[in-house]
PDB file of all heavy atoms in Angstrom:
ATOM      1  N   ASN A  24      77.035  68.175  98.702  1.00 78.00           N
ATOM      2  CA  ASN A  24      77.510  69.590  98.881  1.00 78.00           C
ATOM      3  C   ASN A  24      77.200  70.123 100.263  1.00 78.00           C
ATOM      4  O   ASN A  24      77.903  70.911 100.734  1.00 78.00           O
ATOM      5  CB  ASN A  24      77.094  70.504  97.796  1.00 78.00           C
ATOM      6  CG  ASN A  24      77.591  70.143  96.400  1.00 78.00           C
ATOM      7  OD1 ASN A  24      78.707  69.563  96.360  1.00 78.00           O
ATOM      8  ND2 ASN A  24      76.880  70.521  95.429  1.00 78.00           N
ATOM      9  N   ARG A  82      76.603  50.592 111.073  1.00 92.00           N
ATOM     10  CA  ARG A  82      77.996  50.559 111.251  1.00 92.00           C
ATOM     11  C   ARG A  82      78.801  51.043 110.016  1.00 92.00           C
ATOM     12  O   ARG A  82      79.778  51.749 110.062  1.00 92.00           O
ATOM     13  CB  ARG A  82      78.400  49.051 111.502  1.00 92.00           C
ATOM     14  CG  ARG A  82      77.959  48.610 112.962  1.00 92.00           C
ATOM     15  CD  ARG A  82      78.650  47.209 113.252  1.00 92.00           C
ATOM     16  NE  ARG A  82      78.196  46.199 112.358  1.00 92.00           N
ATOM     17  CZ  ARG A  82      77.240  45.288 112.393  1.00 92.00           C
ATOM     18  NH1 ARG A  82      76.446  45.466 113.491  1.00 92.00           N
ATOM     19  NH2 ARG A  82      76.912  44.432 111.614  1.00 92.00           N
ATOM     20  N   SER A  92      85.228  61.644 102.606  1.00 74.00           N
ATOM     21  CA  SER A  92      84.548  62.807 102.787  1.00 74.00           C
ATOM     22  C   SER A  92      84.390  63.525 101.340  1.00 74.00           C
ATOM     23  O   SER A  92      83.301  64.114 101.205  1.00 74.00           O
ATOM     24  CB  SER A  92      85.126  63.748 103.690  1.00 74.00           C
ATOM     25  OG  SER A  92      86.426  64.240 103.189  1.00 74.00           O
ATOM     26  N   ASP A  99      87.776  54.627  96.580  1.00 87.00           N
ATOM     27  CA  ASP A  99      87.652  54.448  98.071  1.00 87.00           C
ATOM     28  C   ASP A  99      87.539  52.909  98.289  1.00 87.00           C
ATOM     29  O   ASP A  99      87.910  52.424  99.354  1.00 87.00           O
ATOM     30  CB  ASP A  99      86.614  55.237  98.649  1.00 87.00           C
ATOM     31  CG  ASP A  99      86.915  56.665  98.440  1.00 87.00           C
ATOM     32  OD1 ASP A  99      88.018  57.108  98.523  1.00 87.00           O
ATOM     33  OD2 ASP A  99      85.952  57.453  98.335  1.00 87.00           O
ATOM     34  N   ILE A 110      92.190  61.155 104.205  1.00 57.00           N
ATOM     35  CA  ILE A 110      92.195  62.177 105.317  1.00 57.00           C
ATOM     36  C   ILE A 110      90.998  62.972 104.996  1.00 57.00           C
ATOM     37  O   ILE A 110      90.896  63.591 104.045  1.00 57.00           O
ATOM     38  CB  ILE A 110      93.603  63.026 105.138  1.00 57.00           C
ATOM     39  CG1 ILE A 110      94.702  62.178 105.477  1.00 57.00           C
ATOM     40  CG2 ILE A 110      93.572  64.148 106.085  1.00 57.00           C
ATOM     41  CD1 ILE A 110      96.033  62.716 105.222  1.00 57.00           C
ATOM     42  N   VAL A 111      90.089  62.973 105.887  1.00 60.00           N
ATOM     43  CA  VAL A 111      88.754  63.572 105.694  1.00 60.00           C
ATOM     44  C   VAL A 111      88.886  65.156 105.991  1.00 60.00           C
ATOM     45  O   VAL A 111      89.918  65.554 106.675  1.00 60.00           O
ATOM     46  CB  VAL A 111      87.644  62.982 106.623  1.00 60.00           C
ATOM     47  CG1 VAL A 111      87.403  61.546 106.164  1.00 60.00           C
ATOM     48  CG2 VAL A 111      87.952  63.043 108.010  1.00 60.00           C
ATOM     49  N   ASN A 120      83.963  61.638 120.236  1.00 52.00           N
ATOM     50  CA  ASN A 120      84.250  61.070 121.602  1.00 52.00           C
ATOM     51  C   ASN A 120      84.072  59.618 121.602  1.00 52.00           C
ATOM     52  O   ASN A 120      84.429  59.014 122.628  1.00 52.00           O
ATOM     53  CB  ASN A 120      83.310  61.742 122.712  1.00 52.00           C
ATOM     54  CG  ASN A 120      81.872  61.548 122.442  1.00 52.00           C
ATOM     55  OD1 ASN A 120      81.451  61.398 121.351  1.00 52.00           O
ATOM     56  ND2 ASN A 120      81.086  61.449 123.509  1.00 52.00           N
ATOM     57  N   SER A 146      91.575  80.382 128.185  1.00 91.00           N
ATOM     58  CA  SER A 146      92.827  80.878 127.618  1.00 91.00           C
ATOM     59  C   SER A 146      93.884  79.663 127.670  1.00 91.00           C
ATOM     60  O   SER A 146      93.572  78.598 128.329  1.00 91.00           O
ATOM     61  CB  SER A 146      93.355  81.956 128.545  1.00 91.00           C
ATOM     62  OG  SER A 146      93.720  81.404 129.831  1.00 91.00           O
TER      63      SER A 146
END
Side-chain angles (χ1 to χ4, degrees):
N24 290 338
R82 292 189 299 263
S92 67
D99 294 324
I110 297 174
V111 297
N120 58 331
S146 67

